[in-house]
Amino acid sequence: MDALQITGGNRLRGTVRVGGAKNAALPQMAAALMADGPVALTNMPNLADVRLLAKILGELGVESSVEAGRMTLTVTDASHSIARYDLVRQMRASICVLGPLLAKRGKAVVSMPGGCAIGDRPVDLHLRGLAALGASIHLDSGNIVAEAKRLKGAEIFMGGPFGSTVLGTANVMSAAALADGVTTIEMAACEPEVADLGDLLNAMGARITGHGTPRITIEGVPSLGGAEHPLIADRIEAGTFMVAAAITNGEVTIENCRLDHLMAVVDRLRSIGVNVESENGCVTVSSSRRLAPVDVVTQPFPGFPTDLQAQLMALLCLADGNSIVTEKIYPDRFMHVAELNRMGAHLRKEGPTVIVEGVKQLIGAPVMASDLRASAALVLAGLCARGRTRVSRVYHIDRGYERIEQRLQSLGADIERVNED
Ligand code: EPU
């Protein structure tokens, strides 16, 4: 198994380009199940999660090929409807095939995703939304079995105890695109990745308005065609590089960075004394002084994203005072806390909140990654820690960051991939 070995202390300097968004890519790849022609997605990142979904889609009769970041997906055999447990259990986001499969093939059998390192992660809102469109749904041997000859438009409320659901909105919006009549989704997820999926579906011939707002209206159409669509830039990857610049007191210019997708993050970074400047589509992040502490609460978009909570916490470890980090999306998403403490951080967890007492320096240590964003936080901590840090189980980070060590090396980081076997 690979690990990342980092010797901290180098100030990052230079330019890095952000890739297409993983969380936009996955539901859009699944939408290809509904197309009568090829769907081409450009700006496609080369990530483990993308390759895994391509494999699942392959078993569902969707052929895919990638050339220079352009993925083409074509349905060649529409006779399958089963997404197997062996594959689905490796990535919860595989649930995004449920809506498209059901809408197009009349039946979907998708293994029920289990919990994961960041919490329970139920799918009740997905199922309620699809049932409201007329699907009959039951559970059989750990599989969700959803059936409907033809879905019917409906008014659907997608709110749950932790707000809306990103992939739930994606599933219901996609399925409703092929339903009879009009669907409205109230309290839809407003994340840019949902808006981008709506844009792809419209390019395929769907009639969707309001995507990117809490009220989406979908006028069903009888069929969808092929389309070409560029994926939006990955705001979480961009935010991770922003923290990398700040935590090393460096100066990094980030290309292909959508600041309008990162307002809450920029607000928190500026509050703690990090400079963020935007010019000609590039964002330059720099820092040269001791940071101020801040409070941060994760929220659905446009609030501060849960997917950057761990990375910001790594930065706050070095602030001059106490910060409070509250997780309102996944109250248990704190697997990085104990590992950061192994590096000399002073973090105390109280329910869904962590009190971060700033320290002067982090100290390198062997640490263990437990999920994608926690791994990113540990790498960031390693970049500024005194001495050597080894982040094990780095396959987590490969799920969402392409060639992370090479890109950090190009900015001057002392980081290498080593084999631990
Ligand atoms: N929830 C329910 N019922 C549901 C679905 C969700 O109660 O049926 C709850 C969840 O437990 C959570 C909240 O609603 O408390 C939000 O979950 P959501 O469904 O929005 O998460 P998701 O769609 O499964 C996507 C991203 C995650 C990101 C979350 C929140 C993808 C592939 N994944 O997951 O990304 O954290 O939205 O923004 O889009 C990551 O990239 O590292 C990652 C975990």
Side-chain angles (χ1 to χ4, degrees):
M1 226 181 278
D2 286 355
L4 289 176
Q5 192 156 283
I6 307 156
T7 304
N10 292 2
R11 290 184 162 191
L12 298 197
R13 285 187 192 283
T15 301
V16 67
R17 189 174 173 79
V18 166
K22 165 182 85 79
N23 290 348
L26 300 175
Q28 293 189 37
M29 289 168 67
L33 281 161
M34 303 193 297
D36 292 337
V39 170
L41 299 172
T42 57
N43 203 20
M44 178 62 80
N46 181 8
L47 299 170
D49 277 8
V50 165
R51 292 190 293 272
L52 180 62
L53 186 59
K55 194 168 171 185
I56 293 171
L57 289 171
E59 292 199 356
L60 292 168
V62 182
E63 267 180 19
S64 57
S65 60
V66 190
E67 212 184 304
R70 182 178 193 273
M71 176 179 272
T72 309
L73 301 115
T74 314
V75 176
T76 53
D77 177 0
S79 63
H80 307 277
S81 292
I82 303 176
R84 284 190 296 127
Y85 177 62
D86 270 5
L87 296 177
V88 172
R89 74 183 167 83
Q90 296 174 41
M91 180 179 70
R92 286 195 85 273
S94 320
I95 190 77
C96 64
V97 302
L98 181 65
L101 255 188
L102 168 68
K104 182 67 180 171
R105 300 190 185 172
K107 181 168 183 177
V109 182
V110 179
S111 168
M112 178 88 154
C116 73
I118 66 178
D120 286 351
R121 306 189 72 184
V123 292
D124 55 312
L125 297 171
H126 301 233
L127 304 188
R128 264 178 35 200
L130 296 173
L133 291 175
S136 85
I137 298 177
H138 68 276
L139 205 61
D140 181 18
S141 312
N143 293 320
I144 300 162
V145 183
E147 289 170 287
K149 277 211 178 72
R150 179 127 175 118
L151 297 170
K152 288 196 178 59
E155 287 184 4
I156 300 169
F157 180 76
M158 292 296 293
F162 299 99
S164 192
T165 160
V166 174
L167 288 177
T169 303
N171 260 329
V172 173
M173 181 171 73
S174 298
L178 282 178
D180 268 337
V182 177
T183 298
T184 51
I185 306 177
E186 286 289 0
M187 202 160 163
C190 302
E191 270 66 7
E193 294 76 16
V194 173
D196 202 37
L197 170 64
D199 286 346
L200 168 70
L201 291 169
N202 281 344
M204 289 162 61
R207 292 200 193 128
I208 302 175
T209 54
H211 44 305
T213 78
R215 183 188 172 93
I216 303 177
T217 305
I218 306 130
E219 206 183 307
V221 295
S223 64
L224 294 168
E228 171 151 346
H229 179 73
L231 294 171
I232 51 166
D234 195 315
R235 63 194 166 104
I236 305 303
E237 186 175 90
T240 304
F241 281 118
M242 286 178 170
V243 175
I247 208 166
T248 61
N249 271 334
E251 179 167 336
V252 173
T253 297
I254 305 168
E255 293 177 348
N256 195 29
C257 176
R258 289 277 301 262
L259 264 203
D260 55 328
H261 293 168
L262 283 158
M263 293 311 283
V265 177
V266 172
D267 174 68
R268 294 296 75 192
L269 288 175
R270 285 188 174 142
S271 296
I272 62 183
V274 176
N275 307 312
V276 182
E277 307 295 337
S278 171
E279 205 178 5
N280 301 331
C282 289
V283 176
T284 299
V285 180
S286 63
S287 159
S288 53
R289 55 201 153 109
R290 192 86 201 273
L291 302 170
V294 288
D295 293 348
V296 58
V297 180
T298 64
Q299 286 172 324
F301 187 83
F304 191 92
T306 172
D307 291 343
L308 283 170
Q309 177 257 110
Q311 298 91 316
L312 190 79
M313 190 183 294
L315 181 62
L316 293 175
C317 286
L318 296 169
D320 196 8
N322 292 352
S323 302
I324 297 177
V325 177
T326 303
E327 178 56 72
K328 288 260 173 100
I329 308 291
Y330 296 116
D332 296 325
R333 193 176 201 177
F334 288 122
M335 303 295 280
H336 42 287
V337 166
E339 299 300 300
L340 287 170
N341 279 341
R342 298 192 69 243
M343 298 178 70
H346 285 181
L347 306 177
R348 192 157 45 86
K349 184 173 165 320
E350 300 267 356
T353 292
V354 171
I355 295 134
V356 183
E357 191 188 321
V359 295
K360 288 237 155 48
Q361 192 161 44
L362 294 174
I363 304 151
V367 285
M368 187 97 85
S370 54
D371 79 77
L372 167 56
R373 308 302 172 187
S375 324
L378 296 174
V379 169
L380 293 169
L383 290 175
C384 68
R386 190 177 73 221
R388 182 177 283 181
T389 296
R390 181 182 277 237
V391 183
S392 300
R393 294 194 185 170
V394 77
Y395 57 86
H396 288 293
I397 213 166
D398 293 333
R399 292 183 40 209
Y401 296 89
E402 187 173 340
R403 297 178 294 106
I404 187 71
E405 73 281 14
Q406 289 175 28
R407 291 155 85 202
L408 288 170
Q409 276 162 9
S410 77
L411 296 172
D414 184 343
I415 178 169
E416 60 173 341
R417 188 177 286 257
V418 293
N419 194 291
E420 277 191 324
D421 294 337

